[in-house]
Amino acid sequence: MIERITSSGKLSRRDHLLLTSALLSDDKITEEERHQINRIFDYIQIGRLKFID
């Protein structure tokens, strides 16, 4: 999912919800996965990714 999002430059609301949920469930993701999710959120802040419906 991360690769699809970064290559397309688009993030759906559903994907955003899934990533946020994964990030908040501390015990279910690895540090590498946490890093990748944080990278997605960073890309949103700098305008590299756009939200789509």
Side-chain angles (χ1 to χ4, degrees):
M1 182 166 80
I2 299 291
E3 184 62 35
R4 176 181 49 81
I5 293 168
T6 54
S7 66
S8 72
K10 298 174 183 173
L11 178 69
S12 72
R13 303 260 179 220
R14 183 178 185 279
D15 288 340
H16 183 267
L17 180 61
L18 290 172
L19 292 175
T20 302
S21 295
L23 194 60
L24 294 175
S25 63
D26 290 331
D27 59 345
K28 296 182 182 178
I29 62 172
T30 66
E31 282 300 314
E32 178 61 28
E33 291 167 331
R34 180 178 305 283
H35 174 72
Q36 291 175 341
I37 293 169
N38 282 329
R39 183 175 52 148
I40 293 294
F41 293 144
D42 289 344
Y43 285 174
I44 292 167
Q45 288 182 340
I46 64 173
R48 190 167 171 187
L49 289 176
K50 293 184 180 183
F51 275 112
I52 59 171
D53 286 325

